[in-house]
């Protein structure tokens, strides 16, 4: 919240500074994604407005288009996110976040197989980003719903290595193990989940909203693993 306050102040002090607006957009998306917002619709609207202004001020900055893309994801507009990601990649083909948010947009709109390549490429370009546990988790789910459970498990294990105490990764791991018929390991994931704090937000909320059949499948796999909500 302090970061958002500071970026708001930066926007006020210099309304023509694209970096201030794009960072306000990025921070707004993070606040909504991690469940730190009391009014997510209002906050993501602020983020979208800021990102759109950043694009107008500096259309050649890939971070401006990334800010628009990530805010669009949490405004449940994955098609707009994909277009913004495409523009970021056109400007800077080696821009890791552009490829990652492209994959996220493809996955959230229901195109699991099309999400895999950009996610893999983005992770290859930036293998040490501290947020990679999120990207690996999305990659694991894209593999899982793309019918590649073994590859899904490998990606989920990488996510766990980065953030072993993040419960959504263990949910994904449990689903992967059940899909592979490895119920004891799935049960172990569930036991760990019971010991972990429930995350304050659901970074996959727009995905679940757009793809209720996949959300139901995840719930079914978790139930087979022994998880009861």
């Amino acid at each position: 919240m302090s970061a958002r306050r500071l970026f708001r102040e930066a926007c006020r002090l210099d309304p023509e500074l694209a970096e201030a607006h794009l960072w306000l957009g990025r921070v707004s998306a993070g606040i909504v994604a991690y469940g730190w917002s009391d009014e997510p619709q209002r906050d993501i609207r602020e983020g979208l407005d800021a990102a759109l202004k950043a694009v107008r001020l500096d259309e050649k900055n890939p971070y401006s288009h990334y800010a628009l893309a990530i805010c669009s994801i949490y405004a449940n507009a994955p098609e707009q996110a994909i277009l913004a990601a495409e523009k970021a990649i056109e400007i800077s083909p080696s821009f890791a976040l552009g490829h990652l948010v492209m994959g996220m947009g493809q996955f959230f709109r229901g195109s699991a197989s099309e999400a895999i390549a950009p996610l893999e490429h983005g992770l290859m370009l930036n293998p040490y980003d501290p947020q990679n546990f999120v990207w690996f988790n999305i990659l694991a789910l894209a593999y899982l719903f793309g019918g590649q459970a073994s590859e899904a498990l490998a990606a989920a294990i990488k996510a766990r290595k980065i953030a072993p105490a993040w419960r959504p990764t263990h949910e994904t791991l449990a689903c992967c193990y059940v899909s592979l018929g490895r119920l004891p390991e799935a049960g172990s994931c569930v036991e760990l989940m019971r010991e972990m704090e429930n995350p304050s937000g659901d970074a996959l909320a727009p995905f679940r909203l757009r793809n209720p059949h996949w959300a139901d499948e995840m719930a079914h796999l978790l139930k087979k693993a022994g998880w009861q909500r």
Side-chain angles (χ1 to χ4, degrees):
M1 298 300 186
S2 296
R4 180 173 63 177
R5 176 177 55 79
L6 291 170
F7 288 126
R8 282 172 173 169
E9 180 66 7
C11 292
R12 186 188 69 79
L13 292 171
D14 189 349
E16 301 303 305
L17 181 63
E19 287 80 1
H21 294 283
L22 72 86
W23 272 105
L24 179 56
R26 292 182 67 177
V27 166
S28 299
I31 288 170
V32 171
Y34 287 109
W36 300 329
S37 172
D38 294 326
E39 297 184 69
Q41 289 187 338
R42 184 199 66 184
D43 288 338
I44 205 62
R45 182 72 256 171
E46 179 182 18
L48 278 169
D49 290 344
L52 286 166
K53 186 162 188 180
V55 169
R56 289 196 297 271
L57 290 169
D58 190 357
E59 65 177 354
K60 294 183 179 180
N61 188 334
Y63 286 95
S64 296
H65 297 280
Y66 171 76
L68 177 58
I70 196 66
C71 286
S72 297
I73 289 286
Y74 288 99
N76 195 24
E79 291 81 7
Q80 178 173 281
I82 291 168
L83 292 173
E86 287 176 347
K87 185 62 178 178
I89 295 167
E90 287 173 13
I91 295 167
S92 179
S94 61
F95 182 50
L97 286 173
H99 294 279
L100 291 167
V101 80
M102 167 69 80
M104 189 179 195
Q106 293 284 11
F107 179 62
F108 276 40
R109 79 167 181 174
S111 301
S113 296
E114 291 181 49
I116 292 169
L119 286 166
E120 289 276 18
H121 192 59
L123 286 161
M124 181 272 293
L125 288 169
N126 191 8
Y128 301 114
D129 189 321
Q131 293 296 306
N132 276 352
F133 66 95
V134 175
W135 302 117
F136 272 118
N137 192 55
I138 295 170
L139 176 61
L141 291 170
Y143 271 126
L144 183 65
F145 293 118
Q148 301 180 65
S150 295
E151 290 82 356
L153 177 60
I157 289 172
K158 290 177 181 178
R160 182 181 180 180
K161 287 179 180 178
I162 299 168
W166 196 51
R167 204 179 80 179
T169 294
H170 292 271
E171 292 182 4
T172 302
L173 274 168
C175 290
C176 294
Y177 280 127
V178 171
S179 295
L180 291 166
R182 295 165 61 174
L183 295 181
E185 286 131 308
S188 296
C189 291
V190 166
E191 289 304 314
L192 287 170
M193 286 164 57
R194 293 193 178 106
E195 299 171 5
M196 293 178 181
E197 183 179 354
N198 189 26
S200 57
D202 182 4
L204 294 174
F207 153 76
R208 299 182 201 277
L209 184 64
R210 296 276 298 221
N211 304 278
H213 57 299
W214 283 348
D216 289 344
E217 185 174 344
M218 284 186 71
H220 175 69
L221 291 170
L222 286 169
K223 186 175 181 180
K224 287 186 70 174
W227 178 250
Q228 298 291 334
R229 293 192 180 275

